[in-house]
Amino acid sequence: MIDTHTHINMIEGITIDEILKIAKENYVDKLIVPAANPKDFKDIVELINKYDNVYGMLGVHPSDAKDWNDNLIDEIKTLAENKKIVAIGEIGLDYYWDKSFNELQKEIFIKQIKLANELNLPIDVHDREAHKDTFDILKEYNTGSKVIMHCFSGSVEFAKECIKEGWYLGIGGVVTFKNAIKMKEVVQSVPLEHILLETDAPYLTPVPFRGTENQPAYVKFAAEEIAKLRGTTFEEVNNITTTNAERVFVL
Ligand code: NI
């Protein structure tokens, strides 16, 4: 499996070597580490240079939009000469935490979409309670980058709209939560060919470890739940989602 969105640089309880060893024991072959803040760039470059099976993304999270400056465009372009930088992310809109700078979030999102297009890299999208604006901005500005709706949290209807655009849905631990009715419906309603597995570690830990720190090894719990919901096998979910990830990212 490939954990397509995992902040291993933010996991505190265990070392990176241990994280990767446990991941391997649990069939996770490759991991992609997104940036949230420009401060993460250094960590990500170090990780991808040190570990063969770790890849990175660069971008500024909407909640950190105030940390954006236009010099980052050249910095990202330079760092992305490393072929293990495989996407721009995580970028998007977050109207959940703080609505006071929505317009700034939009502006920074658009700049980074244009950068992804220029670099011909996929876009890993953070959309929290901002479905309509996120969709509209991507429709208007994205000129050909593949799109992943990381930690997808919309309705079945919204999922189908995204898939009509050819986008992918990142599905993780939330699907294992008993009360995640909408998420379970989404997973049953969309083609498996549009699903990517992710953990978003250290956040969103799946059942049965909910309440503890998440890690890439736990991506299997999302895969098992997806298999159960779709009446298929873990192996099929593993195979198809891995193929999907290899189609989206150059790994
Ligand atoms: Ni994340």
Side-chain angles (χ1 to χ4, degrees), residues 27 49 58 60 69 94-96 99 105 108 120 122 125-126 131 151 161 167-168 173 182 204 233 236 238:
Y27 326 107
N49 286 336
L58 299 173
V60 176
N69 70 73
D94 190 318
Y95 296 169
Y96 176 78
K99 292 184 184 65
Q105 289 190 20
I108 305 313
N120 196 22
V125 177
H126 174 104
H131 304 323
C151 191
E161 277 186 66
W167 302 347
Y168 293 80
K182 192 171 69 172
L204 302 173
T233 60
E236 189 188 48
N238 179 346

Side-chain angles (χ1 to χ4, degrees), residues 53-221:
N53 63 340
V54 177
Y55 299 79
M57 308 182 195
L58 299 173
V60 176
H61 188 288
S63 298
D64 289 352
K66 287 172 184 164
D67 289 338
W68 175 268
N69 70 73
D70 285 342
N71 295 332
L72 289 169
I73 292 177
D74 281 337
E75 188 181 339
I76 292 173
K77 278 186 194 167
T78 305
L79 294 173
E81 285 170 13
N82 183 329
K83 292 298 158 214
K84 292 184 82 191
I85 295 298
V86 294
I88 295 299
E90 55 183 292
I91 68 172
L93 302 173
D94 190 318
Y95 296 169
Y96 176 78
W97 292 109
D98 187 346
K99 292 184 184 65
S100 68
F101 57 103
N102 290 3
E103 291 309 313
L104 178 67
Q105 289 190 20
K106 287 183 197 170
E107 191 188 311
I108 305 313
F109 185 29
I110 292 165
K111 284 185 180 179
Q112 295 183 95
I113 291 169
K114 290 179 178 169
L115 177 60
N117 291 161
E118 195 183 329
L119 293 170
N120 196 22
L121 286 173
I123 301 169
D124 199 66
V125 177
H126 174 104
D127 155 27
R128 191 154 185 204
E129 299 196 358
H131 304 323
K132 187 175 185 313
D133 284 356
T134 303
F135 187 87
D136 290 347
I137 287 175
L138 282 164
K139 276 279 278 184
E140 184 173 352
Y141 293 95
N142 178 30
T143 57
S145 289
K146 294 186 177 102
V147 172
I148 307 102
M149 300 297 278
H150 143 64
C151 191
F152 184 80
S153 59
S155 63
V156 170
E157 293 68 39
F158 186 55
K160 287 184 174 165
E161 277 186 66
C162 292
I163 283 164
K164 213 163 39 175
E165 298 302 319
W167 302 347
Y168 293 80
L169 312 183
I171 307 289
V174 174
V175 76
T176 69
F177 299 172
K178 205 173 164 194
N179 60 357
I181 312 290
K182 192 171 69 172
M183 187 74 263
K184 291 182 197 285
E185 281 173 14
V186 165
V187 161
Q188 288 170 321
S189 314
V190 302
L192 197 48
E193 286 68 23
H194 281 268
I195 292 179
L196 296 178
L197 296 178
E198 59 173 45
T199 56
D200 205 18
Y203 313 108
L204 302 173
T205 312
V207 175
F209 292 110
R210 202 174 173 184
T212 67
E213 202 175 33
N214 201 0
Q215 57 171 294
Y218 297 168
V219 80
K220 69 177 179 187
F221 297 111

Side-chain angles (χ1 to χ4, degrees), residues 8-10 16 33-51 54-60 72 75-76 78-80 82 84-85 89:
I8 57 172
N9 56 319
M10 296 183 188
I16 300 284
V33 183
N37 187 280
K39 290 193 198 87
D40 299 331
F41 293 3
K42 189 170 157 280
D43 285 349
I44 289 169
V45 169
E46 273 175 25
L47 285 167
I48 65 178
N49 286 336
K50 183 164 179 193
Y51 299 100
V54 177
Y55 299 79
M57 308 182 195
L58 299 173
V60 176
L72 289 169
E75 188 181 339
I76 292 173
T78 305
L79 294 173
N82 183 329
K84 292 184 82 191
I85 295 298

Side-chain angles (χ1 to χ4, degrees), residues 7-23 31 47 50-51 213-216:
H7 303 272
I8 57 172
N9 56 319
M10 296 183 188
I11 298 174
E12 289 176 343
I14 49 175
T15 66
I16 300 284
D17 284 331
E18 285 170 320
I19 293 166
L20 296 177
K21 179 170 171 279
I22 301 167
L31 310 84
L47 285 167
K50 183 164 179 193
Y51 299 100
E213 202 175 33
N214 201 0
Q215 57 171 294

